[in-house]
Structure formats: structure tokens, C-alpha cells
């Protein structure tokens, strides 16, 4: 066959050659090499068809060979990109895929022109000088933007103090493409004196001047990079779907029994549906309950009928979307519970048929609430007195009792649905910050230990904990989900890596994602074999599908 390559690519050595003239199971193949390493394993190669919203990515094997299966690349013109920290593709490339033929393109990599632009948040934290306490003080920056953005600033401590103080008035759903401001701070943690807050902002600003470019045009520390994938971690295909607008933040992505991927936009009143076969996105406008309040939804969960429920955050309520009628129904907190500080992030309707009640959480007061769907009345449960630790997720069991994660400390709590009794269980690792999770069919509660850098599991039958450290230090797992095979999957905001845990052996495979991905909620589609993993790129306005090949 004949493959067209741009003149620029030809000039800089992106080699393309003709290959088999007969139909093949491979649409595009080639070898990745560099002068420094020769044949390179673990390089992510991405192909995107001109005019398409879908990008497909494969990973080179131990011989540096990459292969795109024929069904994944339809005929047409494609652009190619790579991810391999420390390297650039020697010139941008384009390749034409022709029906019934295998295209071949060898990729030559050169040392990166701007290594800083390639670092993940984990790599930045590993590179920064300073104590663990100092580094921990800026980890929350990643809720809204990358650490690269901070490291490239040239502000001094005075200016940075002003900036940090201003950013403290933004909710965690703000990001550079859409900034919103809080109407009121949270009250659950108690009131912090202004002098104490100013002192904290000043300390944070002073540390930032040690890692930014305020005193020199060059960083005074060397960059630490993570190794590329190898072995099983290269046996994977990724598909990334662009969303309609850059302001979309698919914080939670879940997949229904028909294979449709649903997402809630973190900073907008939008519920979206993606058809993975076509890439078509359908969006539904979520009702506005408090017009002056910050917009957006966080939690997105199915009930027993596969209707979708949303935690409406600063809108002060929850919403149910009926898939058949495509209509919303909402429930607002009563006025006495619905101050400007309210932030209903989480909702758990999974077992509401048991008693007609739905559990939710308020991040403004750090309390757990229960909604009677029929009457619209809310009950409030206070596991702690003010100043309270942050209660993050609520997860119901088959009896519609609820488990909750104490992100502000290191506990898993339970509220008995019939008696209201509250019990607390301490994780083995102190200050572990359990964040989000799920309950599997065996009664095991899986969750991310966000400050302990571990995957956690609490057996609700034996009340026994088990923990597995993330292979990459600084992954800080946000969420965990178990699949039909008993394996657990996790990810976080820092390393751009997805962990796949085999609890029996303790082995963990880490899959590097094709680009910077602010990972929040994770999901596994069990209808496929092998299972399919899904996650939203919360700051990249896309949804990523990960298909392990074994």
C-alpha cells in the first residue's frame, strides 16, 4: 500500500514504509526507537482521525513494537502522538489508513525539549524540595489545576499570599476553564480564626517560592521521573472520547446495562450520556435549585432501576433522572438545613427500595442525611460534634444501612437504618483519609486511602481491614471499585496511573493513561470479558475507556 506522510515528518525522520497488500487484523504497526535506548517498551502511541472526537492508544511491547487492531482504526487520515516521559516524537506525523491493508510507521523519539511540561503531579511532588509537611500543604492545589502551573509562576511570597487567600474562596470544582466563588465557607470543621488562616497562607506562599521561578529563571532542583509501563501494563488499549465543551468536568462516569456511559459535569448543571460506539454525546440540563449558588454535581449513582441520582453540591439537594421519561425530579433541603455553606456531594440510592429512603452527605456541615423519597423529609445524623472531621462518601448495603468514609481522619463508620446507631472502625494506618468507594457482592467495602497512599478494604461481616500500598509512591488513591473477578481498580489525581489489584496475590498492575488525567470516580463495566475500566478526565473534558487485553 501507499501511506502518505507529511513533508515535515519526512524531513525529521518519521519513517513510513509500505507493507502487506493483503487484509490484516492490524491496521497500523511500527517500532518505537531512540538513540538513547534503541527499541523502547512502554511508549504510548495515540492515533486520532481527522475531524473525529475519538482517540485510540496502544502501548509498545518489549521489542518496541506497537499495533493498532483493524477494528479500532477506520480508513482515513490520522495524526499520531506519543507519551514517554523524557522524550518527544521527532516531528508531528500523519498517516493514512487504507481498507484491507496494514500501514507501517516507525517512530523515532528524541530527548524532550521541555521535560517540565511532561511531568505528572506525582513527579512534581517527588522533584520538589522540602519536608513532607510542606509538600502536603500544596497537594490540594491539584483539585483545580496541575502543579506545573504553580511551579512555573514567578511570584514572590507577598503576591503568592494574596493568590492563595483568593483561591481559598473558590470551591474545589473551580478550574482554569470555569472559575466560581463560594457564597460561604464550610461550618462543619468549626471556625478558624482569621489570624490562623493568614499564617497558614503565608507559610504556604513561602514554601511555593522555594519551588517556583521567583528567584531564578531555572528550577534549582532536578526532575524525578517515573518508569514507563512494561510487561502486563503494556497489554492494553485505550479509547478517549472528547466532550462537547472544554468546561465539561466528568467527575463521575458510570456505565449502564446498555453500554451507555453517563457523566455528571462537576461545575455545570449538566448530565451527559456518551454512546461509545459512535462517540455521540447527549446532554440534559439539570434543574437549578439556588440560582445564586455555585453550579455543578459531584456524585452520580444508579438506583435499583438504573435511574440516575446526582448529588447537587451547593444547590442544596439531590436529583433523580428517569431514563425512560428523561425527566428530573429534585429534592431540596429545608430552609433550616439549607444555608449558603451546604454542599451535598454524595448520594446513595442503591437500595432505596428497601425502605423508600436515600442516604446523602453534606460537606458543608460534615453530616450524614437520609431522605424519605415519598414525604420529602430529611433526617440528620451527626457522627461527630463540631469541630467535625470531613465525612466524604456514603455507601448503602442491601439492608439500606449506610457506611460512610471519614476523610478528615481514618475511620469507616456505619449507621444502622432501623436504630440509627452509629459505629466507627479505625483503619490500620493512621490518618489514612478514606475517600470514596463501593460495597461488593461479598459485603466488602473498598475505598481509597487518600493520605495513606493505599487501597483499603473493610470486610463488613468480619469487621476486618486489609490494605495494599500503591506501587507508585504519591498516587494517593481517590476511589476504588471491585470487578466481577474479585480484582479491585483504583486511581487518583496525581500519577495518571490506574491500579489493578489482585487481592489474592497482592500484585498490582499499573496502567499509564495517555495524557494528564485528573482522576476522580472510577468505574468497571463487568459486561465485557475482560472487564472494561472507565474514568473521566476531570480537567481534560474527556472520558477514557481502558480495555486490558488479559
Amino acid at each position: 500500500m501507499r501511506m502518505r506522510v507529511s513533508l515535515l515528518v519526512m524531513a525529521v525522520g518519521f519513517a513510513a514504509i509500505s507493507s502487506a497488500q493483503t487484509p490484516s487484523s492490524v491496521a497500523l504497526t511500527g517500532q518505537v526507537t531512540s538513540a538513547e535506548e534503541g527499541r523502547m517498551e512502554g511508549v504510548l502511541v495515540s492515533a486520532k482521525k481527522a475531524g473525529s472526537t475519538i482517540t485510540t492508544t496502544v502501548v509498545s511491547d518489549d521489542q518496541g513494537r506497537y499495533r493498532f487492531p483493524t477494528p479500532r482504526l477506520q480508513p482515513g487520515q490520522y495524526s499520531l502522538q506519543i507519551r514517554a516521559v523524557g522524550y518527544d516524537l521527532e516531528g508531528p506525523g500523519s498517516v493514512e489508513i487504507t481498507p484491507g491493508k496494514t500501514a507501517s510507521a516507525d517512530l523515532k523519539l528524541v530527548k524532550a525539549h521541555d521535560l517540565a511540561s511532561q511531568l505528572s503531579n506525582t513527579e512534581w511532588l517527588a522533584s520538589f524540595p522540602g519536608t513532607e509537611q510542606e509538600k502536603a500543604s500544596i497537594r490540594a492545589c491539584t483539585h483545580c489545576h496541575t502543579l506545573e502551573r504553580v511551579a512555573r509562576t514567578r511570584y514572590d511570597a507577598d503576591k503568592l499570599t494574596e493568590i492563595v487567600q483568593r483561591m481559598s474562596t473558590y470551591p474545589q470544582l473551580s478550574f482554569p476553564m470555569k472559575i466560581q466563588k463560594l457564597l460561604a465557607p464550610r461550618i462543619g470543621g468549626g471556625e478558624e480564626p482569621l489570624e490562623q488562616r493568614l499564617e497558614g497562607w503565608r507559610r504556604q506562599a513561602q514554601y511555593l517560592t522555594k519551588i517556583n521561578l521567583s528567584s531564578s529563571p531555572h528550577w534549582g532542583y532536578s526532575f524525578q521521573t517515573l518508569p514507563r509501563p512494561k510487561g502486563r501494563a503494556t497489554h492494553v488499549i485505550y479509547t478517549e472520547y472528547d466532550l462537547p465543551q472544554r468546561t465539561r468536568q466528568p467527575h463521575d462516569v458510570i456505565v449502564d446495562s446498555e453500554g451507555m456511559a453517563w457523566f455528571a459535569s462537576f461545575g455545570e448543571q449538566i448530565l451527559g450520556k456518551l454512546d461509545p460506539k459512535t462517540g455521540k454525546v447527549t446532554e440534559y440540563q439539570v434543574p437549578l435549585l439556588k440560582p445564586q449558588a455555585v453550579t455543578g454535581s459531584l456524585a452520580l449513582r444508579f438506583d435499583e432501576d438504573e435511574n440516575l441520582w446526582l448529588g447537587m453540591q451547593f444547590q442544596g439537594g439531590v436529583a433523580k433522572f428517569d431514563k425512560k421519561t428523561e425527566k428530573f425530579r429534585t429534592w431540596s433541603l429545608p430552609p433550616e438545613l439549607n444555608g449558603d455553606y451546604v454542599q451535598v456531594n454524595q448520594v446513595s440510592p442503591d437500595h432505596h427500595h428497601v425502605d423508600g429512603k436515600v442516604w446523602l452527605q453534606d460537606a458543608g456541615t460534615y453530616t450524614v442525611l437520609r431522605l424519605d423519597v415519598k414525604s420529602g423529609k430529611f433526617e440528620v445524623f451527626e457522627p461527630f460534634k463540631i469541630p467535625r472531621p470531613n465525612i466524604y462518601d456514603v455507601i448503602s448495603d442491601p439492608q439500606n444501612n449506610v457506611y460512610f468514609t471519614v476523610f478528615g481522619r481514618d475511620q469507616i463508620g456505619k449507621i444502622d437504618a432501623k436504630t440509627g446507631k452509629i459505629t466507627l472502625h479505625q483503619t490500620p494506618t493512621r490518618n489514612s483519609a478514606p475517600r470514596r468507594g463501593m460495597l461488593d457482592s461479598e459485603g466488602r467495602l473498598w475505598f481509597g486511602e487518600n493520605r495513606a497512599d493505599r487501597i483499603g478494604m473493610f470486610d463488613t461481616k468480619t469487621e476486618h481491614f486489609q490494605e495494599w500500598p500503591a506501587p507508585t509512591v504519591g498516587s494517593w488513591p481517590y476511589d476504588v471499585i471491585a470487578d466481577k473477578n474479585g480484582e479491585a481498580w483504583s486511581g487518583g489525581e496525581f500519577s495518571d496511573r490506574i491500579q489493578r489489584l489482585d487481592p489474592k496475590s497482592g500484585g498490582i498492575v499499573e496502567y499509564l493513561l495517555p495524557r494528564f488525567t485528573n482522576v476522580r470516580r472510577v468505574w468497571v463495566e463487568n459486561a465485557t470479558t475482560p472487564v472494561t475500566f472507565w474514568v473521566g478526565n476531570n480537567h481534560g473534558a474527556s472520558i477514557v475507556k481502558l480495555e486490558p487485553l488479559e
Side-chain angles (χ1 to χ4, degrees), residues 199-310:
E199 183 181 344
W201 294 329
R202 183 70 183 180
R203 282 198 307 270
Q204 191 176 26
Q206 288 172 338
Y207 175 60
L208 291 174
T209 62
K210 298 179 182 179
I211 63 175
N212 74 354
L213 298 173
S214 59
S215 59
S216 171
H218 306 288
W219 290 287
Y221 47 89
S222 59
F223 293 146
Q224 305 299 311
T225 60
L226 296 172
R228 295 193 305 274
K230 62 181 180 179
R232 290 184 65 196
T234 67
H235 303 165
V236 61
I237 297 178
Y238 305 90
T239 309
E240 185 169 7
Y241 304 87
D242 297 339
L243 297 179
Q245 300 292 333
R246 279 289 288 115
T247 54
R248 301 294 183 266
Q249 296 181 75
H251 190 289
D252 278 28
V253 175
I254 60 178
V255 181
D256 66 21
S257 58
E258 297 176 338
M260 296 293 128
W262 296 82
F263 68 92
S265 188
F266 196 25
E268 301 167 296
Q269 297 299 103
I270 290 173
L271 171 67
K273 179 177 69 173
L274 164 71
D275 184 341
K277 294 180 180 179
T278 64
K280 179 183 177 182
V281 176
T282 304
E283 296 188 333
Y284 306 88
Q285 196 71 31
V286 180
L288 200 63
L289 303 182
K290 298 166 72 173
Q292 303 305 315
V294 172
T295 56
S297 302
L298 197 153
L300 180 65
R301 281 190 168 115
F302 292 122
D303 64 17
E304 300 95 325
D305 303 313
E306 266 200 351
N307 295 312
L308 296 110
W309 290 70
L310 300 92

Side-chain angles (χ1 to χ4, degrees), residues 399-421:
Q399 291 73 46
N400 212 23
N401 305 305
V402 74
Y403 290 87
F404 57 89
T405 59
V406 186
F407 178 55
R409 291 184 186 169
D410 44 23
Q411 295 154 312
I412 297 296
K414 177 186 177 182
I415 302 176
D416 187 287
K418 294 182 179 179
T419 67
K421 179 182 177 182

Side-chain angles (χ1 to χ4, degrees), residues 449-480:
E449 295 189 352
N450 197 235
R451 280 197 291 271
D453 224 6
R454 286 166 164 76
I455 292 173
M457 186 275 288
F458 176 67
D459 190 318
T460 62
K461 297 176 182 177
T462 64
E463 297 186 349
H464 172 73
F465 282 96
Q466 197 167 352
E467 298 174 328
W468 295 266
T472 296
V473 175
S475 295
W476 313 115
Y478 174 89
D479 186 23
V480 181

